[in-house]
Amino acid sequence: MSDSRKAATGRPRGFDIDQALERAMRVFWARGYEGASLTELTGAMGITKTSMYAAFGNKEQLFRKALQRYGAGPAAYATCALEEPTARAVALAFLRGAVRTTTPPEGPSGCLTVQGALASGDESRAVHDLLVDWRNDAGARLEERFRRAVDEGDLPRDADPRRLARFVMTTGFGIAVQAANGLGPAELDEIVDTALLGWPA
Amino acid sequence: MSDSRKAATGRPRGFDIDQALERAMRVFWARGYEGASLTELTGAMGITKTSMYAAFGNKEQLFRKALQRYGAGPAAYATCALEEPTARAVALAFLRGAVRTTTPPEGPSGCLTVQGALASGDESRAVHDLLVDWRNDAGARLEERFRRAVDEGDLPRDADPRRLARFVMTTGFGIAVQAANGLGPAELDEIVDTALLGWPA
DNA sequence: AGGGTTCTGCACCGATCGGTACTTAATTGA
DNA sequence: TCAATTAAGTACCGATCGGTGCAGAACCCT
């Protein structure tokens, strides 16, 4: 099972699967899960529906792969930020990264995990829940990092890591909405600065 | 034109139009614009598609009416908050109101204007734009109120009303996403407190 | 009673939705 | 050369989408 060595038999795939996934990701990003139709998806990927189903399974699995790619690519800032030396630097890097990712010079504005399926019909509840988990995971990792910061004396002993993590996540989500609203990186960076004014010394 | 005196002629409407609109609003709130199908909408409203079309025009106009009702009802806090005596009190009332509205004891979590159509297909771009305007209007009113606060000496002379308004709106949007993520009012109120720690004296 | 008007319920519209059956094309190993 | 295997392209599936045509039902006024 799984993707071990590629079977060397059969007709070779006629398209770049990575590039196709990248393009699918951008369609999901711009349209959301339900708003992205198979016609638009496969059109952007440059392949037919048949090829998409053979390569990815179905629309939901394509989205899961796209989300994975999103996390490793545009949203990698969320993980990288954790490596900053201080809690404040982590928060700053996280939010600056959110600004950069949600306002690309080209491509869709906003955050895939926020626009993906905030509200949706019944049939895409699985995707909705997947995104809820994704977002909560990001918050949990931030919280863990801030907990460590308290241990290291980097944050005051009475600081609440969970609360701080939730605050940073909230600001990040808000930035995603503001980016979808049309705000640019300069304006969003100002918001980040304002948000961190009350950061615990 | 418009809704002058009701024509006293013809078969009377067999349902309460206000109650039907209220229920439609809640469906849009929970499902978003595209995620809410006419079948689910009319089912919740307790009427047939024909009656809905006769009473409201079409799905988009039903949504516009629902949004109007949302602004006058659940989202009235955004306007009421402006009447608080100080800028800080305005910001606090606004965010506390956002928390209350996005986490009702019953009914959908989150904010109708955020979940409505953050990302969507082409055919509902009109609704998408409508919501962008709605959200930006709320920010503009907040900005204007903060500008007045500077004039009144309530905010420091070097405070930036637009920046503060954007920050409050961003926090509000983030709260809406967190509410959709499952956070409750107590946790969200903590976030509000954290956000206002850096509020200019 | 009868006309005018408006609302309701049913059946139905074309378009699009996500997803597939089937044929043909391209490759490998024997 | 020839199975075996896998991808690609076409044409199609039933279901659902938003939206309507039409016949009657329920009210007003004359």
Side-chain angles (χ1 to χ4, degrees):
Chain A
M1 56 177 292
S2 82
D3 49 331
S4 54
R5 287 297 137 248
K6 60 178 67 178
T9 172
R11 175 172 172 175
R13 182 171 285 126
F15 63 95
D16 182 332
I17 198 168
D18 260 22
Q19 174 182 318
L21 185 56
E22 171 76 20
R23 293 184 179 173
M25 182 194 75
R26 300 195 169 261
V27 173
F28 280 129
W29 194 344
R31 304 293 196 183
Y33 177 69
E34 287 188 324
S37 72
L38 280 192
T39 304
E40 187 175 4
L41 282 165
T42 53
M45 298 164 86
I47 62 179
T48 64
K49 274 192 266 192
T50 315
S51 297
M52 193 285 278
Y53 274 87
F56 297 100
N58 59 20
K59 187 186 179 184
E60 181 179 332
Q61 290 180 356
L62 175 63
F63 182 81
R64 296 184 114 93
K65 291 276 188 186
L67 179 61
Q68 215 169 307
R69 187 179 182 86
Y70 182 75
Y77 69 87
T79 305
C80 297
L82 301 176
E83 299 169 6
E84 294 290 325
T86 69
R88 191 178 204 286
V90 169
L92 185 62
F94 184 93
L95 293 176
R96 291 261 188 265
V99 169
R100 240 176 291 123
T101 292
T102 57
T103 58
E106 68 196 64
S109 297
C111 172
L112 170 62
T113 74
V114 173
Q115 329 222 59
L118 251 199
S120 55
D122 263 334
E123 71 277 0
S124 48
R125 160 152 291 151
V127 169
H128 173 269
D129 293 348
L130 172 69
L131 288 178
V132 168
D133 289 345
W134 199 97
R135 294 190 296 253
N136 283 337
D137 275 0
R141 280 181 294 154
L142 217 45
E143 175 185 341
E144 194 178 357
R145 177 63 184 84
F146 289 159
R147 201 176 301 280
R148 200 187 88 197
V150 172
D151 287 346
E152 292 172 347
D154 168 34
L155 277 175
R157 195 151 306 259
D158 64 338
D160 184 340
R162 173 178 297 178
R163 194 166 159 168
L164 288 174
R166 281 176 178 155
F167 169 65
V168 172
M169 290 302 296
T170 301
T171 306
F173 295 148
I175 283 171
V177 176
Q178 291 282 34
N181 253 18
L183 259 55
E187 295 144 324
L188 293 177
D189 275 339
E190 281 189 3
I191 293 175
V192 171
D193 295 336
T194 306
L196 292 184
L197 281 180
W199 194 260
Chain B
M1 53 179 294
S2 85
D3 50 332
S4 52
R5 287 297 136 247
K6 60 177 70 177
T9 173
R11 176 173 171 174
R13 182 171 286 126
F15 61 96
D16 182 333
I17 199 168
D18 259 23
Q19 174 181 318
L21 185 56
E22 172 76 20
R23 294 184 179 172
M25 181 194 76
R26 299 197 170 261
V27 174
F28 279 130
W29 194 343
R31 303 294 197 182
Y33 178 69
E34 287 187 324
S37 72
L38 280 192
T39 304
E40 187 175 5
L41 283 166
T42 54
M45 298 165 86
I47 62 178
T48 64
K49 273 190 268 191
T50 315
S51 296
M52 193 285 278
Y53 274 87
F56 298 99
N58 60 20
K59 188 185 178 184
E60 181 178 332
Q61 289 180 357
L62 175 63
F63 182 82
R64 297 184 113 94
K65 290 274 187 188
L67 178 62
Q68 214 170 308
R69 187 179 181 86
Y70 182 76
Y77 69 87
T79 304
C80 296
L82 301 176
E83 299 168 5
E84 294 290 326
T86 68
R88 191 179 203 285
V90 168
L92 185 63
F94 184 94
L95 294 176
R96 290 262 188 264
V99 169
R100 242 176 290 123
T101 293
T102 57
T103 59
E106 66 196 67
S109 297
C111 171
L112 170 62
T113 73
V114 173
Q115 329 221 54
L118 251 200
S120 56
D122 263 336
E123 71 276 1
S124 47
R125 161 152 291 152
V127 169
H128 173 270
D129 293 348
L130 172 70
L131 288 178
V132 168
D133 289 345
W134 199 96
R135 295 189 297 253
N136 283 338
D137 274 1
R141 280 180 296 156
L142 216 45
E143 176 184 341
E144 194 178 358
R145 177 64 183 82
F146 289 157
R147 200 177 301 279
R148 200 187 89 198
V150 173
D151 288 346
E152 293 172 346
D154 168 34
L155 277 175
R157 195 150 306 260
D158 65 338
D160 183 341
R162 173 178 299 179
R163 194 166 159 169
L164 289 174
R166 281 176 179 155
F167 169 65
V168 172
M169 290 302 297
T170 302
T171 306
F173 295 148
I175 284 171
V177 177
Q178 292 282 33
N181 251 18
L183 260 53
E187 295 144 326
L188 294 178
D189 275 340
E190 281 188 4
I191 293 176
V192 171
D193 295 336
T194 306
L196 292 183
L197 281 180
W199 194 259

